[in-house]
Structure formats: structure tokens, C-alpha cells
Amino acid sequence: MFATETKDVILYSYDEQGVFTNPFKYTWAVGTGLAASSTLLVPPPEKEGFAPVFDGEKWGYVENHIGESMYSTEDKSSKKVKLIGGAEPGYTLLEPGMFDEWDG
């Protein structure tokens, strides 16, 4: 998509995972495309426990547990979630008790 006239527009940027980062004003010059990692489509409103994510065509929601603890299903060790989505393979978001064993 290229501009047919120069105009100011509001773009919505997203990071490498597609997570909405911020809106910004953009001067869209004749014959140019949009700024990288941005879209004219307005992201959905904030939703507790989820992040708005752009898949290249539309916005949707993905679970967001960034900053929460996840626990190893092998040894119960914990680490912080750093990416959107559920727990990494081999981890769970459910905190195990002292005598709990993981059975899938």
C-alpha cells in the first residue's frame, strides 16, 4: 500500500512479537509505504491478562504473563516469564506445593 497524496496519519506500532507498543503521528508521503512494524488498524482495547498482537493482517489477543513466575515440571525451580503467551515447554504457571509431582 502506497500513499497517493501526502497526509498525516496515526499509525500503531508493534514489536518483533507483534505486541502493540504505541500510536504515533506519521507524515505519509506520496509514493511511500507505511513505517516498518506499524499499521493503520486501531488495536483492540486493553484486556486484563492479555496483550494486543498484530499478526500482519489483524489485531487479536494473546495471553500475557510477563513478569509472573513459571515453574519447572521437572524440579519445581522457578523463573520469570519474559515473552507473551503461556508458560514455556517444560514449565507451568501453577505454583507447585512441597509434595506435588508433575503428571502432565
Side-chain angles (χ1 to χ4, degrees):
M1 172 176 4
F2 296 97
T4 56
E5 62 182 85
T6 297
K7 58 186 171 183
D8 289 334
V9 295
I10 300 297
L11 294 182
Y12 302 90
S13 63
Y14 49 88
D15 66 16
E16 63 280 347
Q17 290 186 308
V19 177
F20 172 66
T21 54
N22 61 286
F24 64 98
K25 186 176 176 183
Y26 179 73
T27 300
W28 196 7
V30 171
T32 65
L34 299 177
S37 300
S38 67
T39 180
L40 290 164
L41 300 175
V42 178
E46 289 187 24
K47 184 176 174 181
E48 182 72 30
F50 293 85
V53 175
F54 190 68
D55 68 5
E57 295 181 15
K58 64 186 180 318
W59 290 100
Y61 291 108
V62 173
E63 283 183 74
N64 184 5
H65 298 284
I66 292 175
E68 295 178 22
S69 294
M70 61 181 162
Y71 304 89
S72 169
T73 57
E74 289 187 25
D75 64 11
K76 301 181 188 178
S77 63
S78 68
K79 65 179 185 176
K80 297 290 183 188
V81 176
K82 294 182 181 177
L83 301 174
I84 62 164
E88 296 174 15
Y91 284 81
T92 180
L93 295 170
L94 302 173
E95 183 175 6
M98 179 184 282
F99 301 107
D100 289 339
E101 290 185 31
W102 183 255
D103 65 4

